[in-house]
Amino acid sequence: MIQETIVTTQNSFGATHIAPMGIHTNGEELIILPFRPSTTLENILASQTAVINYTDDVRIFAGCLTERRDWPLQPAEKISGQVINGALAHCEVELMHIKEDPIRPKLYCKTVHTVNHAPFKGFNRAQYSVLEAAILISRLDRLPLEKIESEIAYLRIGLEKTAGDREFEAWSWLMAVIENHKKSLSA
Ligand SMILES: Cc1cc2nc3c(=O)[nH]c(=O)nc-3n(C[C@H](O)[C@H](O)[C@H](O)COP(=O)(O)O)c2cc1C
């Protein structure tokens, strides 16, 4: 199973990096799969640790893909790292071993500490729409414009029926990127 999370990592100077990542789970094992080149990858190799944040605030997913990476943080409890404020839960993990790959290495991690901060309040279709649109944007240069437009039109249906303020805000950031992309194609 793949869970869409926010991974926070630190470089050797203690600066925190925030990135959405799909974490592969297999029982207790968590596998992080960063595409090279990746700051997340470099930081985990340097520190041997990461924090996996579980959040329903989709603005963080959309924000990280639209140059808005400055989200409030608080210190992790058992490792040197930072947790996203407002995460529903987080896991503090240590790197166990790596399956090397020139494109997308697999970082096998073990959980050393888990904290639940707030209850899960159910699925929301607008949050799904924002996540899918964020993934489209992370692949903008590799996808034909027609595919992007048709997928956005479909995702907009769930968004408009079920979004709250956070989801509309996140969606607006992503749509601005698509509009700029379209302009750059027609220039
Ligand atoms: C929902 C979602 C899941 C993502 N999962 C991954 C992933 O598993 N691996 C990856 O390299 N990038 C993933 N991305 C894209 C990264 O977040 C983005 O490219 C980021 O800048 C990663 O590079 P960095 O480690 O240098 O920050 C995902 C993006 C979204 C919106």
Side-chain angles (χ1 to χ4, degrees):
M1 181 172 158
I2 299 175
Q3 290 172 305
E4 303 304 346
T5 71
I6 302 293
V7 176
T8 41
T9 54
Q10 283 190 323
N11 68 14
S12 47
F13 301 103
T16 300
H17 181 72
I18 303 177
M21 292 269 158
I23 303 299
H24 296 223
T25 59
N26 182 15
E28 287 298 293
E29 198 169 54
L30 297 177
I31 310 162
I32 305 172
L33 291 101
F35 285 100
R36 291 179 188 276
S38 159
T39 305
T40 302
L41 173 63
E42 282 170 26
N43 287 355
I44 294 175
L45 294 180
S47 69
Q48 304 284 300
T49 60
V51 177
I52 315 286
N53 299 270
Y54 302 98
T55 179
D56 59 356
D57 188 347
V58 287
R59 293 175 307 171
I60 305 172
F61 290 85
C64 287
L65 293 171
T66 57
E67 310 297 324
R68 296 171 177 89
R69 286 188 192 255
D70 196 12
W71 296 95
L73 301 165
Q74 63 194 55
E77 295 180 6
K78 303 281 185 196
I79 61 167
S80 173
Q82 295 285 321
V83 177
I84 298 280
N85 264 2
L88 298 177
H90 81 268
C91 283
E92 299 173 17
V93 305
E94 282 175 1
L95 180 63
M96 298 301 290
H97 63 273
I98 304 169
K99 188 162 181 224
E100 279 297 352
D101 185 89
I103 296 167
R104 199 181 188 195
K106 290 185 176 172
L107 307 179
Y108 289 81
C109 298
K110 77 162 186 213
T111 301
V112 292
H113 189 54
T114 303
V115 185
N116 288 316
H117 301 279
F120 170 64
K121 288 190 176 160
F123 297 105
N124 172 259
R125 292 172 60 196
Q127 290 168 356
Y128 162 79
S129 294
V130 171
L131 285 190
E132 288 299 321
I135 289 170
L136 282 177
I137 277 163
S138 74
R139 298 174 184 163
L140 216 48
D141 294 331
R142 285 175 273 156
L143 293 174
L145 188 56
E146 307 75 60
K147 180 172 170 65
I148 295 166
E149 288 190 318
S150 68
E151 295 208 5
I152 290 295
Y154 174 71
L155 294 170
R156 193 187 295 277
I157 299 169
L159 180 101
E160 288 179 346
K161 285 186 177 157
T162 69
D165 291 344
R166 294 194 309 195
E167 291 75 26
F168 277 126
E169 189 175 17
W171 183 262
S172 72
W173 296 341
L174 297 170
M175 293 310 108
V177 172
I178 292 183
E179 284 311 310
N180 280 341
H181 179 64
K182 280 200 228 168
K183 278 185 202 146
S184 73
L185 290 179
S186 59

